[in-house]
Amino acid sequence: MENPFLHPGFIVPTALGLIAWISWQIRLEAKVGAVEKAQVRQDQSLEDTWKDLESHRANEGIHFNQRVASEVDRRQSERFGRIEGDLKEIKDLIKGMAGK
């Protein structure tokens, strides 16, 4: 009696299935390797982005600074006070000239 596992109807499909399974595993391994490389690149890009964000955040020349804003407000108040004083003097001069 012949062994059914040695029949070509069993051996050929089994061998083809084994070859297909091995090929599939190789393909999956390549995909996993590509995903790992992409993940490393993405992590590095994310780190670079955070470094850029932190350096941008620390740049006082770009962002609002409360101390500078209060200094600007104080100086503007002084200027407006001087302008109002000058306008009052001009009004007094005009009234004085009109009264003569």
Side-chain angles (χ1 to χ4, degrees):
M1 183 164 167
E2 193 175 314
N3 190 349
F5 294 114
L6 297 177
H7 190 271
F10 176 77
I11 292 176
V12 171
T14 304
L16 290 176
L18 184 61
I19 291 170
W21 184 77
I22 291 170
S23 302
W24 185 261
Q25 294 300 315
I26 291 170
R27 181 173 176 253
L28 286 177
E29 179 62 29
K31 283 188 172 187
V32 167
V35 167
E36 287 176 350
K37 288 179 185 175
Q39 182 67 37
V40 168
R41 283 193 310 267
Q42 185 178 16
D43 289 344
Q44 183 62 39
S45 175
L46 184 61
E47 288 176 16
D48 293 342
T49 301
W50 277 109
K51 286 177 186 174
D52 290 343
L53 181 64
E54 289 299 323
S55 66
H56 177 79
R57 184 182 297 161
N59 188 350
E60 291 183 6
I62 297 173
H63 295 286
F64 180 77
N65 186 332
Q66 186 67 33
R67 182 183 54 79
V68 172
S70 65
E71 182 69 20
V72 168
D73 288 342
R74 185 184 63 78
R75 287 183 181 181
Q76 284 181 346
S77 295
E78 289 175 2
R79 286 182 189 132
F80 288 136
R82 283 194 307 261
I83 291 172
E84 288 175 354
D86 291 346
L87 286 176
K88 186 173 181 185
E89 287 179 21
I90 292 171
K91 279 183 179 179
D92 291 341
L93 287 173
I94 291 175
K95 284 180 184 177
M97 290 172 55
K100 287 187 178 182

